[in-house]
């Protein structure tokens, strides 16, 4: 037994090996060596029939204990001798190859990978020797096609399977069925299926296309940035196979995210973008009619291709230069498509994320994206990840500088994704890896990774000279034949085609390119438009903030009743019961409406009108401040009941989910979802507003600029709790100023609603108005329960969202000398001050929408104050934050509209400039708040 624990993969904490043996033993005790059988016989049996599916956790625990403490293991089993001992060693050797064969595999086309010593793969490590090579041993679970074989044959098969062009990593997977499945797929064909001549000719044709495009662009536009694929051409036949195979499974849509390298090649050779269109872009002929546009290697594209299973819609996501951030956007877009199709397993829509090696290892959002892959709110039935691994970091850096892990793909192990490292110069192996990956995804609905190990024939881009920083690598690359040349030579040698045939492929591609023909051979010229959403109803609308959002009162009351109903079997917790009791009173007219009621009713009315709703965020079910309780937890059994899922028969989907603790990936996901599902209300809610700063890249690169760069509309709503209530620097401000600074060209809406009726109409406006613009809401905290912040059912049924709320006091307009403008909860402090101090000379107006700034509406609100002398902007935020610097020019314009020169006199009342958003001490907060309110009236 001592020896059993000596081999590194067993004693190194790897209990999986023992586990596999144990499972084998459960199926047939005679299949495992005596030594192990004796040991397993001593273990407690799992309950029920000991079979393949038997839950193993108690036993597993034992193995982990054993693996951790070798001493304990010594002597627990009888020590066997002779042949049986060797048999055990052979089985250990087989598993050693499964665990570590990849470290010896020939996966680097440049042969620069420094071999690491892998003692486990030496016969001597297992006390075997050349003298045993002719002895026959049982093959155990090794898929050799026979139960017994000479050691020589076993070792040869192991070498072929695990140490040629594919390095497989899957032994980190705990699930035995998955492991067996993968072992079978690789071992049964020695990781190299025999492909027919037609298949291989097709692969060569696609490789030729990949190379042909790059060489054409290189000769026509030398030195122009295009992030060419040269060195990684196998990517194209691989993607072709992935899409065709997925189509064969009945997949209807494939959404792809990728960074720069190889993007133009994918666009032309797989998605079927017209080469002449691309060439026009290179020639600078493309004219932008609207927005800023974007560089060609950020562009997305859509098309349909034909596959064995019918037409498949392809969508390449637009993406910014921030590598990897597009990954969760793709997931969101895929989930929206799956939800639209009621495809709960993810069989109909496939996400593919293509990564660079350095970014995959370096960017945190990769981990966040893996983390979402099996959660209820974000799962998409498994993503195919492809790493185009150039073996050089972003521009010049060495792998030693770009990561601490052995492979750039190690992060994928956290979700137990299988990883296939494959040599890009062996297109047959690449094809096999692609097929296994898609089959695995369809079978297990989990993520899977293909690490396409290749190189970069040129520098980071075509203007770079790479040998300055990578001399040794580029000496090698200079004399290294291309993947196409190598493959063509191999096929010629094997008699698959003649040299002339191979040349003809090159010429044919060049001719097609010059003639401007489409070169993606499966492209459907008349695409079936039913495969994707029709965005026409949402296109071409100019900005307008005024929209009728009223709702039939009778129906609203019915809905209100419905959403307060909780079935008898659900035992509601005391405080939650009180909230529902109050809502019933509000519905019956016995109590003023609060925020939670109005917000919930907005959702109910939208659902009733046929709009799906999706709300996610860290505490969305309950609401960070417990105002929502859209999900009721049964105190008896922990089950949940969601009243909004029971509005009416055949209602649209209502999804409300607490997110995992991410902002970046989660917000990007919702952006992807919202840009794919135009008829729905999509809400992301921050736990506290300032947490969005963890997702700043999503706000900058997508939400605020996506329409301008790519013409992609997005109706995403962000709820960001904001307000100065003495909670300190972290949870007071949602950094309003950051959003306002990004506002231009009517790109998004920034609103600060202060009454239940306002949130009701604002949420409704966002969906029923056909315009699709991101909506940023500074949502309240204390206002959720403020006794003045209430509305009536009539205000909900009849009103609309008011961008400016006029003064609510009964003022004599002619007596008003000062107008205080404000946004958000400070209004209630100002109103209280005015009432207390009987300041009839001052009107307090709320600007409920800060962008697009409602100039006309504000002018309407002040124009009757004929004796107005002064306008003050009051905010809770410090001088350098909030709306002051970003919005004062709009206020000055309106003041000047009223009286020339009044704008120049616009005054500020707020906290002094501050590095942090708010004071950490309650006493300071209170004093500042008192002062700024007083300043508004007296400055
Ligand atoms: P997709 O399924 O993403 O390929 O989209 C199909 C088509 O719908 C695209 O070619 C666009 O014309 C249109 N489309 C998709 N998403 C948007 C969007 N967010 N805004 C405007 N049009 C879109």
């Amino acid at each position: 037994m001592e020896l059993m624990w000596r081999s590194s993969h067993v004693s190194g904490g790897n209990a999986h090996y023992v586990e596999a043996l144990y499972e084998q033993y459960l199926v047939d005790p005679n299949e495992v060596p005596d030594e192990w059988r004796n040991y397993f016989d001593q273990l407690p049996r799992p309950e029920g029939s000991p079979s393949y599916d038997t839950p193993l956790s108690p036993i597993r625990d034992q193995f982990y204990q054993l693996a951790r403490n070798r001493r304990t293991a010594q002597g627990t089993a009888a020590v066997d001798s002779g042949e049986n001992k060797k048999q055990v060693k052979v089985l250990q050797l087989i598993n050693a190859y499964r665990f570590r064969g990849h470290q010896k595999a020939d996966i680097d086309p440049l042969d620069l990978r420094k071999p690491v010593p892998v003692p486990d793969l030496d016969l001597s490590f297992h006390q075997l020797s050349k003298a045993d090579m002719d002895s026959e041993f049982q093959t155990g679970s090794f898929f050799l096609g026979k139960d017994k074989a000479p050691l020589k044959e076993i070792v040869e098969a192991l070498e072929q399977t695990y140490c040629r062009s594919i390095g497989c990593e899957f032994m980190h997977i705990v699930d035995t069925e998955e492991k067996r499945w993968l072992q079978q797929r690789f071992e049964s064909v020695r990781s190299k299926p025999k492909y027919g001549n037609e298949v291989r000719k097709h692969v060569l044709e696609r490789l030729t296309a990949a190379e042909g495009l790059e060489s054409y662009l290189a000769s026509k536009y030398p030195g122009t940035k295009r992030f060419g694929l040269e060195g990684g051409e196998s990517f194209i036949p691989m993607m072709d196979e992935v899409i065709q195979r997925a189509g064969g499974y009945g997949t209807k849509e494939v959404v792809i995210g990728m960074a720069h390298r190889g993007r133009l090649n994918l666009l032309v050779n797989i998605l079927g973008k017209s080469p002449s269109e691309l060439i026009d872009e290179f020639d600078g002929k493309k004219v932008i009619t609207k927005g800023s546009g974007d560089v060609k290697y950020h562009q997305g594209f859509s098309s349909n291709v034909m596959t064995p299973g019918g037409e498949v819609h392809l969508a390449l996501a637009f993406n910014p230069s921030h590598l990897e951030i597009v990954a969760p956007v793709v997931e969101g877009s895929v989930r929206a498509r799956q939800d639209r199709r009621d495809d709960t397993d993810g069989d109909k829509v496939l996400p593919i994320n293509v990564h660079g090696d350095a970014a995959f290892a370096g960017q945190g959002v990769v981990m966040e994206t893996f983390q979402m892959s099996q959660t209820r709110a974000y799962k998409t039935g498994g993503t195919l990840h492809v790493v185009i691994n150039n073996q050089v970091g972003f521009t010049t850096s060495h792998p030693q500088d770009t990561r601490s892990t052995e492979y750039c793909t190690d992060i994928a192990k956290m979700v137990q994704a299988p990883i296939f490292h494959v040599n890009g110069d062996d297109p047959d192996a690449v094809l096999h890896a692609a097929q296994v990956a898609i089959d695995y995804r369809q079978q297990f609905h989990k993520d899977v990774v293909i690490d396409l190990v290749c190189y970069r024939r040129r520098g980071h881009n075509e203007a770079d000279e790479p040998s300055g920083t990578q001399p040794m690598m580029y000496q090698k690359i200079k004399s290294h034949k291309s993947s196409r040349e190598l493959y063509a030579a191999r096929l010629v040698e094997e008699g698959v085609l003649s040299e002339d045939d191979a040349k003809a492929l090159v010429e044919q591609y060049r001719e097609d390119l010059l003639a401007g023909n489409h070169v993606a051979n499966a492209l459907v010229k008349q695409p079936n438009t039913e495969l994707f959403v029709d965005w026409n109803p949402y296109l071409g609308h100019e900005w307008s903030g005024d929209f009728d959002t009223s709702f039939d009162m009778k129906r609203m009351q019915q809905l209100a009743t419905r959403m307060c109903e909780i079935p008898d079997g659900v035992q509601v917790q005391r405080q939650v019961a009180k909230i529902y009791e109050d809502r019933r009173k509000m519905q019956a007219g016995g109590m003023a409406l609060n925020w939670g009621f109005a917000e919930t009713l907005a959702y109910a009315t939208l659902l009733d009108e046929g709009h799906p709703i999706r709300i996610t965020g860290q505490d969305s079910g309950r609401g960070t401040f417990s105002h929502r309780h859209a999900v009721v937890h049964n105190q008896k059994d922990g089950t949940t009941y969601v009243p909004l899922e029971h509005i009416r028969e055949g209602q649209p989907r209502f999804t409300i989910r607490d997110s995992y603790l991410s902002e970046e990936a989660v917000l990007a996901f919702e952006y992807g979802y919202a840009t794919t599902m135009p008829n729905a209300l999509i809400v992301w809610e921050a736990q506290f507003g300032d947490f969005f700063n963890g997702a700043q890249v999503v706000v900058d690169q997508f939400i605020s600029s996506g329409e301008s760069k790519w013409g992609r509309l997005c109706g995403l709503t962000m709820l960001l709790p904001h307000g100065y209530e003495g909670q300190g620097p972290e949870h007071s401000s949602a950094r309003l100023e950051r959003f306002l600074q990004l506002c231009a060209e009517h790109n998004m809406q920034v609103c600060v609603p202060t009454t239940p009726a306002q949130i009701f109409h604002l949420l409704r406006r966002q969906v029923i108005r056909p315009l699709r613009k991101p909506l940023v809401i500074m949502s309240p905290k204390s206002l959720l329960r403020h006794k003045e912040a209430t509305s009536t059912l009539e205000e909900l049924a009849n009103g609309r969202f008011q961008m400016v709320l006029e003064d609510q006091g009964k003022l004599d307009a002619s007596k008003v000398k000062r107008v205080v403008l404000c946004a958000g909860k400070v209004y209630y402090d100002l109103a209280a001050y005015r009432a207390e101090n009987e300041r009839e000379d001052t009107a307090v107006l709320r600007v409920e929408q800060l962008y697009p700034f409602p100039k006309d509406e504000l002018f309407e609100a002040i124009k009757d104050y004929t004796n107005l002398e002064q306008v003050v902007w009051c905010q809770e935020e410090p001088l350098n934050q909030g709306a002051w610097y970003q919005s004062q020019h709009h206020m000055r314009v309106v003041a000047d509209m009223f009286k020339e020169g009044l704008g120049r006199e616009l005054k500020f009342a707020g906290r002094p400039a501050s590095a942090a958003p708010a004071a950490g001490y309650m006493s300071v907060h209170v004093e500042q708040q008192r002062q700024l309110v007083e300043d508004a009236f007296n400055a």
Side-chain angles (χ1 to χ4, degrees), residues 3 80 170 205 218:
L3 291 174
D80 208 338
F170 53 72
E205 189 276 328

Side-chain angles (χ1 to χ4, degrees), residues 894-938:
V894 177
D896 282 341
M897 280 160 72
F898 179 84
K899 188 163 76 185
E900 191 57 45
L902 188 63
R904 224 178 18 242
E905 300 301 318
L906 181 71
K907 293 275 182 292
F908 171 81
R911 288 183 161 78
S914 160
Y921 299 100
M922 192 53 141
S923 54
V924 178
H925 160 79
V926 170
E927 172 51 24
Q928 286 178 338
Q929 192 78 7
R930 188 201 60 73
Q931 188 67 52
L932 71 91
V933 170
E934 197 172 303
D935 288 351
F937 286 87
N938 304 306

Side-chain angles (χ1 to χ4, degrees), residues 341-356:
R341 293 171 177 277
D342 278 329
D343 173 21
T344 42
D345 288 336
D347 287 331
K348 299 272 180 275
V349 192
L350 169 71
I352 303 179
N353 273 314
V354 184
H355 315 262

Side-chain angles (χ1 to χ4, degrees), residues 343-456:
D343 173 21
T344 42
D345 288 336
D347 287 331
K348 299 272 180 275
V349 192
L350 169 71
I352 303 179
N353 273 314
V354 184
H355 315 262
D357 47 334
F360 199 58
Q363 307 260 298
V365 72
V366 175
M367 171 271 174
E368 291 192 18
T369 309
F370 275 116
Q371 193 60 271
M372 64 173 40
S373 66
Q374 294 296 323
T375 59
R376 289 189 293 177
Y378 308 101
K379 67 179 174 193
T380 52
T383 298
L384 171 63
H385 297 271
V386 179
V387 180
I388 300 184
N389 185 346
N390 300 309
Q391 312 188 62
V392 180
F394 39 99
T395 45
T396 61
S397 56
H398 188 274
Q400 273 182 344
D401 298 327
T402 53
R403 59 178 191 262
S404 299
T405 51
E406 179 172 8
Y407 295 106
C408 62
T409 51
D410 284 356
I411 184 77
K413 290 183 187 163
M414 67 178 264
V415 292
Q416 299 188 22
I419 300 160
F420 314 138
H421 309 280
V422 58
N423 188 322
D425 270 357
D426 186 348
D428 290 338
V430 173
L431 194 67
H432 183 50
Q435 291 176 347
V436 178
I438 285 299
D439 295 353
Y440 172 86
R441 189 266 175 189
Q442 292 302 115
Q443 176 81 15
F444 297 105
H445 295 110
K446 282 180 53 191
D447 285 20
V448 51
V449 181
I450 298 176
D451 177 20
L452 182 67
V453 186
C454 45
Y455 58 93
R456 213 175 61 181

